[in-house]
Amino acid sequence: MARTKEILLGHLRGVGADGTPAVVSVYKAGRDYRITHGDKRHLCHPSVRGIPKVKAEAMLVFHVSQASFEAL
């Protein structure tokens, strides 16, 4: 079965847990969202259906706060 190609939507720019600037890349594959931070990747929960929820997921998983989305 073929995998759905991931498309880079943009980046979340915010502040990491240690107070340094952090960038989280946001990808979309079919109906799912995937976020990456550094060398870590995370497939968002199926209930995540928009950028506001992706921001919340980035906070929970990568501890990135005050994030703003920059679309490509």
Side-chain angles (χ1 to χ4, degrees), residues 9-59:
L9 296 179
H11 303 283
L12 291 172
R13 298 193 187 276
V15 179
D18 57 356
T20 60
V23 177
V24 176
S25 299
V26 180
Y27 296 87
K28 183 144 180 156
R31 293 176 20 187
D32 298 324
Y33 286 91
R34 182 178 304 274
I35 54 178
T36 63
H37 178 59
D39 60 347
K40 299 176 186 167
R41 296 169 52 95
H42 174 75
L43 178 63
C44 294
H45 189 274
S47 66
V48 174
R49 290 287 172 232
I51 297 302
K53 291 286 188 172
V54 171
K55 288 180 186 179
E57 192 87 0
M59 175 61 188

